Amino acid sequence: MSCVSVSVGVGQDGVTNRALTLLRTMQFLGRTKKHVSNPMTELYAQPLQFYGQPPLENISLSEFESFAVDRLKLLKTVENLGVSYVKCSDQYSNKLEHELKALNFPYRTDVDEPEKQRKDHISHFILRLAYCQTEDLRRWFIQQEVDLFRYRFNELNCKKKLEFLHNNNLQYNTISVEEKNHLKEKLLNSSHGINGVTLEQDIYKVPFQDALDLVRTRKVYLKAGYAYIPHIEIVTIVLNDFRTRLSKALALTARSLPAVHSDERLQPLLNHLSHSYLGQDYSVQKNVGKISLEQIDSLAGKSFPLCMRQLHQALRDNHHLRHGGRMQYGLFLKGIGLSLEQALQFWRMEFIRGKVDADKFDKAYAYSVRHMFGKEGKRTDYTPYSCMKVILSNPPSQGDYHGCPFRHSDPELLKQKLQFYKVSPSGVNQILDLVKGMHYQLACQKYFELTHNVEDSTFSLSHPNQYFIESQKALGGNKDVKREMDTPQRSQENSAARGSSAAREPAIPDFWFYSCGRPLSYWMVSLHSTLKFCSL
């Protein structure tokens, strides 16, 4: 018996196909496409697409995971390059091309690479499902995808650009030669970058509301409610169209999340991708106990990231931290080398200086310290929080000091804090500009550069413990703070969910991919009733 819409596999690979089937709910609203007998073959022959058609195939579990992680690495590179370099400059383009090549994504527009196009297509839809969950995630995902799309569109030659417009029914009206000659002087005077040579190319006449970015920057000629756009600026119109389509698609997908979240196997997978940390795991170290308690105050001023410096200062001032602060700071200290015995001594000494006596500490707080080290409860060896976890989970409330200062602090309070820590006025402005653009990790990296007198740091910051290690390297500090990790991409959520103590987990636990005794077709139909499947 054959399936009507999707070929459904069995076992782990088949369940992964089920996750891809969910991506079918993320259709773009937009223009109707012509019917083709083999849409995937034609789609992958194109160097660029609007991602209007979801994937319709089986995919292995290993591909599902690796595609999603590689796409996330690519988008984070796009974000970093967009802040460090002028977008579409030679340096920007060269570095982005290198990353595309390294991650096996399509990077040449003059060569057909169907396998790379397939990876690009599928990975986009996986992350679209993961990043539709909150407004912050949607905004970040859209911005990085738009920047990636801009780079790829600009790499196309004129012929391929016209083919792309035609294939996606983007029929912008071009003005006649007579009208172009009649308006020649006005077009040359009002349109940015136009000269006698480029004026020979097409000029598009579109409603001004479709070109607000160009109107705002005074790059086009306006007449009777229409903007006259030179061919070299058509990318702006195409980007607006892409942004609108993607925004609508993410909004539609977000409305289907309650049904998706009812599946306890799929929800952790999506949360893992949207909160994923792709760097090293700082929970295991060979230098336990090599950081003394007497060093902490000095290290806090020199080598702690701002989030941990803030927690340390609050603890010293108030002799107490709430649970969120104790978890974030306690795991960080564990990651830099504090042993369980040192941690118990550190927290006890500080708390008894306040309103907590030694007996109350042993009864009410010592358990949570031992729990961090996997000695109580489920015996889970908790991992120090990554930047993504600090930024996206458990925002601080009144009286809390945890979280990311660049994400959760009022800009004026953040400015005062940076000034107190002797950051130069120009440096403060640079950091606040990054915060305004919601580049919180890049703001922290800029803070590192300014406080360590580093022109251009050679690492991409993604973890508070990474900040500490890089700071020690820059200052020529204790070389023993370097960690030797087992496997990357392990998250604290994975270990907590599985309850294993120090064992390393795969990035996507296997139990998410079992069908709990139900036919796979049952789960597919329950989440998207408009699709029809056969029972295998």
Side-chain angles (χ1 to χ4, degrees):
M1 184 180 295
S2 62
C3 296
V4 175
S5 300
V6 177
S7 175
V8 181
V10 295
Q12 288 186 341
D13 290 356
V15 182
T16 308
N17 177 64
R18 170 186 161 267
L20 275 181
T21 303
L22 293 173
L23 301 174
R24 293 174 58 84
T25 63
M26 295 175 289
Q27 296 278 6
F28 273 119
L29 295 179
R31 302 167 177 82
T32 305
K33 288 183 168 42
K34 61 182 181 180
H35 176 74
V36 292
S37 57
N38 193 339
M40 292 298 104
T41 300
E42 180 170 314
L43 188 65
Y44 294 159
Q46 301 173 11
L48 187 63
Q49 58 167 307
F50 266 150
Y51 304 104
Q53 185 173 349
L56 303 172
E57 61 173 288
N58 290 325
I59 181 173
S60 69
L61 173 61
S62 60
E63 277 189 319
F64 189 94
E65 178 181 358
S66 65
F67 282 10
V69 171
D70 283 352
R71 182 87 180 193
L72 192 52
K73 289 180 179 178
L74 176 61
L75 295 186
K76 288 186 179 296
T77 298
V78 170
E79 179 187 27
N80 290 337
L81 292 178
V83 175
S84 303
Y85 303 95
V86 177
K87 293 178 182 178
C88 299
S89 65
D90 289 342
Q91 281 184 306
Y92 176 94
S93 299
N94 291 338
K95 288 182 177 294
L96 186 50
E97 179 183 334
H98 179 270
E99 188 70 11
L100 287 165
K101 185 177 181 180
L103 294 174
N104 203 34
F105 282 103
Y107 66 96
R108 296 180 62 184
T109 60
D110 58 340
V111 178
D112 290 336
E113 299 176 305
E115 282 303 310
K116 293 182 180 180
Q117 293 288 354
R118 172 178 173 270
K119 177 179 180 178
D120 178 73
H121 182 219
I122 293 174
S123 63
H124 169 87
F125 276 90
I126 296 173
L127 288 197
R128 191 194 289 185
L129 184 59
Y131 275 76
C132 72
Q133 300 182 64
T134 69
E135 182 61 32
D136 283 346
L137 291 175
R138 290 193 292 271
R139 188 184 298 112
W140 183 87
F141 180 72
I142 290 172
Q143 185 58 57
Q144 311 323 317
E145 286 287 346
V146 166
D147 285 346
L148 178 60
F149 186 93
R150 178 193 290 110
Y151 162 78
R152 286 172 164 169
F153 187 85
N154 286 332
E155 289 296 302
L156 299 176
N157 57 38
C158 289
K159 180 182 177 181
K160 288 188 178 294
K161 287 180 181 178
L162 292 175
E163 288 178 356
F164 175 82
L165 298 178
H166 175 75
N167 291 337
N168 290 277
N169 294 325
L170 300 177
Q171 305 300 332
Y172 302 124
N173 296 323
T174 58
I175 63 176
S176 64
V177 176
E178 293 77 11
E179 186 176 5
K180 189 187 299 184
N181 290 332
H182 177 69
L183 298 173
K184 180 176 181 179
E185 184 177 351
K186 294 180 179 178
L187 289 172
L188 289 173
N189 291 333
S190 60
S191 298
H192 175 79
I194 287 191
N195 53 45
V197 176
T198 57
L199 197 56
E200 298 300 320
Q201 298 179 353
D202 289 334
I203 302 293
Y204 299 91
K205 181 179 178 180
V206 302
F208 82 94
Q209 61 268 27
D210 291 340
L212 292 179
D213 288 342
L214 295 174
V215 173
R216 185 184 303 112
T217 54
R218 301 184 179 184
K219 291 184 177 181
V220 292
Y221 173 63
L222 290 177
K223 180 183 178 183
Y226 288 91
Y228 290 75
I229 302 173
H231 182 78
I232 59 174
E233 297 288 358
I234 196 64
V235 61
T236 303
I237 309 301
V238 178
L239 284 176
N240 286 339
D241 199 316
F242 177 64
R243 184 189 296 272
T244 300
R245 292 176 182 226
L246 185 54
S247 179
K248 288 180 179 179
L250 290 172
L252 287 175
T253 308
R255 290 205 290 269
S256 70
L257 281 180
V260 177
H261 283 175
S262 64
D263 185 347
E264 63 182 11
R265 294 161 297 140
L266 188 59
Q267 182 184 9
L269 167 63
L270 300 181
N271 288 338
H272 168 79
L273 287 174
S274 61
H275 293 69
S276 75
Y277 162 63
L278 305 176
Q280 293 179 324
D281 180 349
Y282 293 89
S283 63
V284 177
Q285 64 267 3
K286 290 191 173 183
N287 60 331
V288 175
K290 292 190 177 180
I291 299 294
S292 69
L293 298 184
E294 291 74 20
Q295 290 179 284
I296 292 180
D297 284 330
S298 173
L299 291 172
K302 297 186 300 183
S303 295
F304 281 16
L306 192 57
C307 57
M308 300 305 169
R309 193 173 182 179
Q310 173 177 281
L311 283 165
H312 180 78
Q313 190 60 49
L315 178 62
R316 291 303 197 205
D317 292 343
N318 304 320
H319 311 298
H320 188 272
L321 284 176
R322 292 181 178 178
H323 177 74
R326 296 198 303 275
M327 284 295 292
Q328 181 176 324
Y329 189 41
L331 290 173
F332 170 80
L333 293 176
K334 171 189 172 185
I336 69 172
L338 250 63
S339 66
L340 172 59
E341 293 72 19
Q342 286 178 307
L344 285 169
Q345 182 182 354
F346 172 78
W347 290 103
R348 180 184 289 107
M349 288 171 58
E350 197 58 50
F351 270 48
I352 62 176
R353 292 176 181 173
K355 299 179 180 180
V356 177
D357 58 36
D359 185 58
K360 183 177 180 180
F361 177 87
D362 291 337
K363 291 180 179 178
Y365 297 101
Y367 176 91
S368 65
V369 177
R370 293 194 297 271
H371 190 268
M372 291 182 203
F373 285 77
K375 304 302 181 183
E376 299 286 358
K378 294 184 293 184
R379 308 286 175 174
T380 299
D381 188 17
Y382 284 93
T383 306
Y385 291 173
S386 68
C387 291
M388 286 294 286
K389 182 173 179 61
V390 172
I391 291 170
L392 295 175
S393 62
N394 190 23
S397 57
Q398 186 68 31
D400 286 328
Y401 295 93
H402 65 272
C404 172
F406 303 104
R407 170 65 179 88
H408 299 118
S409 292
D410 177 81
E412 188 59 35
L413 293 178
L414 176 60
K415 180 179 180 179
Q416 294 175 14
K417 188 169 297 182
L418 294 171
Q419 291 172 339
F420 179 77
Y421 289 142
K422 303 293 190 295
V423 177
S424 66
S426 62
V428 171
N429 290 333
Q430 292 179 59
I431 291 174
L432 293 178
D433 286 343
L434 290 169
V435 170
K436 186 177 180 180
M438 294 180 294
H439 303 296
Y440 308 118
Q441 290 168 245
L442 296 176
C444 189
Q445 187 154 342
K446 176 58 66 175
Y447 172 77
F448 176 95
E449 293 171 357
L450 293 169
T451 54
H452 290 77
N453 295 318
V454 176
E455 284 285 335
D456 186 14
S457 53
T458 58
F459 62 94
S460 179
L461 184 64
S462 57
H463 201 292
N465 290 80
Q466 178 194 12
Y467 182 108
F468 176 80
I469 291 175
E470 295 294 341
S471 172
Q472 288 290 287
K473 291 179 183 177
L475 297 173
N478 184 2
K479 303 301 181 182
D480 291 329
V481 296
K482 296 181 180 179
R483 305 288 181 263
E484 292 188 17
M485 308 305 159
D486 291 339
T487 55
Q489 303 168 16
R490 174 181 178 250
S491 69
Q492 182 267 330
E493 294 91 344
N494 288 347
S495 61
R498 298 298 295 272
S500 61
S501 57
R504 288 291 169 267
E505 304 287 352
I508 304 178
D510 293 339
F511 75 91
W512 285 328
F513 294 98
Y514 288 104
S515 59
C516 301
R518 298 277 194 176
L520 297 178
S521 57
Y522 166 85
W523 294 106
M524 293 174 185
V525 172
S526 69
L527 291 171
H528 193 192
S529 60
T530 59
L531 295 178
K532 296 180 181 179
F533 303 92
C534 66
S535 297
L536 299 181

